Amino acid sequence: MTQNLVINPGPPVASPRSLRSVALLVPDPKASIDFYTESWGLSAVDRGDDVAWLRGTGEEHHILQIGHHEQNALGRIVLALGTRREVDDAARALESLGVPIVHEPGPLDDAAGGYGVQFVDPEGRLIELSVERFAVTARDTNGREAIPRKVAHVVLNTVDIDAACAFYTEVLGMRISDWSEHQMAFLRCNSDHHVIAFNQAPWTSVNHVAYEMPTVDHFMRGIGKLKQTGIAPEWGPGRHGPGDNTFSYFTDPAGLVCEYTSEVAQVEEDTWLCRVWQRTPELSDQWGTAGPPTEKIRTHMAGTPDAGHLARLSATA
């Protein structure tokens, strides 16, 4: 379910600093939690019967939240602001534009705590802008241990890539770093080439979530560790054109696509020029090691049609 596009005639209502975390909803949370803690390298900082908050090696309380729903869905995307005043100002501006506010600015009832506002974007995704979430001490990996340090980006399938980009740039203040023809758009909120990307698709869904390794050596060791436990990449390793980042794609027990990545391109705002990349095999994988994506990984990246947060609330009311 989509809403009419909100056009913001003035300056953006927010200036996110970073992508903090992504929440995913799956039919069997335990299987997914076990995969991400036992195989993927994350660790549980808090956990309940059907929910867990999983951290990497960075200072974010968690980078992935797993929860329960009868089918795969996006639970939430969390973006960092700088101050409570920014949260309050963003909430007032969003409300004036007619954007549905789900959680008024205030303390967050979440394992990570904090102060924030939650709203729904034009395709029904739950977005949080927050500050003061619980920090944790960065983990020492002894230099070699292959553990993701943060969420690098989330790719979202959209039914209208132009409308999605307009909302996230004009309202949320993100910038488009590059296009892959008119099929994908890569959006940033800091120096990382992209933290959110949109892929034109027949329905709204999660395409994949990428987790950043500290170096390309950690990236390769992570792939090797998974292969030793019988989990082989479904596409990769390789190096993309837009973003210049390494990639290796896997699927988790729910069939959601997860990616190891490293060496994401860094943008200098004053000199960066957005370009339109042609979708050629060489620019999909500069190394030429991965080959084309398989039909299986394409199917998983298409995801399950997601009616959105408000539709889920209505279904359970």
Side-chain angles (χ1 to χ4, degrees):
M1 181 174 63
T2 61
Q3 311 156 17
N4 292 330
L5 174 64
V6 178
I7 297 296
N8 184 25
V13 306
S15 298
R17 270 61 164 181
S18 64
L19 171 62
R20 303 188 103 148
S21 65
V22 174
L24 300 174
L25 304 177
V26 298
D28 185 355
K30 183 180 184 304
S32 293
I33 293 165
D34 288 348
F35 169 80
Y36 283 104
T37 54
E38 296 173 7
S39 300
W40 197 248
L42 306 183
S43 59
V45 66
D46 205 342
R47 186 167 183 170
D49 291 338
D50 283 329
V51 63
W53 291 264
L54 310 179
R55 64 165 301 187
T57 61
E59 295 183 351
E60 286 291 347
H61 175 272
H62 66 277
I63 61 175
L64 175 65
Q65 180 183 343
I66 299 290
H68 176 262
H69 188 57
E70 53 266 23
Q71 66 180 31
N72 291 342
L74 176 69
R76 186 190 324 172
I77 294 173
V78 180
L79 300 166
L81 291 186
T83 66
R84 289 192 178 203
R85 180 173 180 176
E86 289 181 32
V87 172
D88 294 340
D89 290 347
R92 285 191 292 269
L94 288 165
E95 189 170 22
S96 72
L97 293 171
V99 177
I101 304 295
V102 175
H103 183 290
E104 296 290 339
L108 295 164
D109 183 16
D110 182 270
Y115 182 94
V117 60
Q118 296 174 353
F119 60 93
V120 176
D121 81 358
E123 288 184 280
R125 304 178 190 91
L126 181 62
I127 309 298
E128 175 182 300
L129 303 173
S130 58
V131 298
E132 300 175 9
R133 291 173 73 81
F134 297 144
V136 293
T137 303
R139 293 171 60 189
D140 182 5
T141 62
N142 297 319
R144 292 183 58 83
E145 196 172 358
I147 300 176
R149 62 182 177 187
K150 68 176 184 177
V151 174
H153 60 262
V154 56
V155 176
L156 304 168
N157 294 321
T158 175
V159 298
D160 189 337
I161 195 168
D162 295 315
C165 288
F167 182 86
Y168 278 77
T169 57
E170 296 174 22
V171 177
L172 295 187
M174 292 189 171
R175 286 86 68 198
I176 298 177
S177 297
D178 283 311
W179 287 86
S180 179
E181 296 186 352
H182 196 234
Q183 180 63 41
M184 292 190 72
F186 301 87
L187 281 68
R188 68 184 186 274
C189 65
N190 51 33
S191 62
D192 289 345
H193 180 269
H194 59 288
V195 297
I196 289 177
F198 288 104
N199 177 62
Q200 181 67 43
W203 53 74
T204 299
S205 60
V206 177
N207 184 288
H208 70 270
V209 180
Y211 302 81
E212 184 181 284
M213 292 296 203
T215 68
V216 69
D217 285 339
H218 291 86
F219 164 81
M220 291 303 295
R221 282 196 293 271
I223 296 170
K225 180 181 67 175
L226 288 172
K227 290 185 72 173
Q228 289 167 14
T229 61
I231 303 172
E234 295 192 23
W235 186 31
R239 184 182 288 275
H240 283 313
D244 199 36
N245 54 297
T246 64
F247 69 86
S248 192
Y249 295 91
F250 301 81
T251 54
D252 70 13
L256 291 166
V257 178
C258 46
E259 175 191 2
Y260 278 157
T261 190
S262 65
E263 299 187 344
V264 178
Q266 296 299 294
V267 171
E268 294 185 12
E269 291 292 341
D270 294 337
T271 60
W272 186 267
L273 294 176
C274 176
R275 61 180 289 191
V276 178
W277 295 73
Q278 300 301 308
R279 294 173 64 83
T280 64
E282 293 77 12
L283 295 182
S284 178
D285 175 20
Q286 298 181 66
W287 288 346
T289 54
T294 63
E295 191 61 35
K296 180 180 178 182
I297 198 68
R298 287 184 183 275
T299 299
H300 285 301
M301 285 179 169
T304 303
D306 189 346
H309 179 75
L310 296 180
R312 286 193 293 277
L313 289 180
S314 298
T316 57

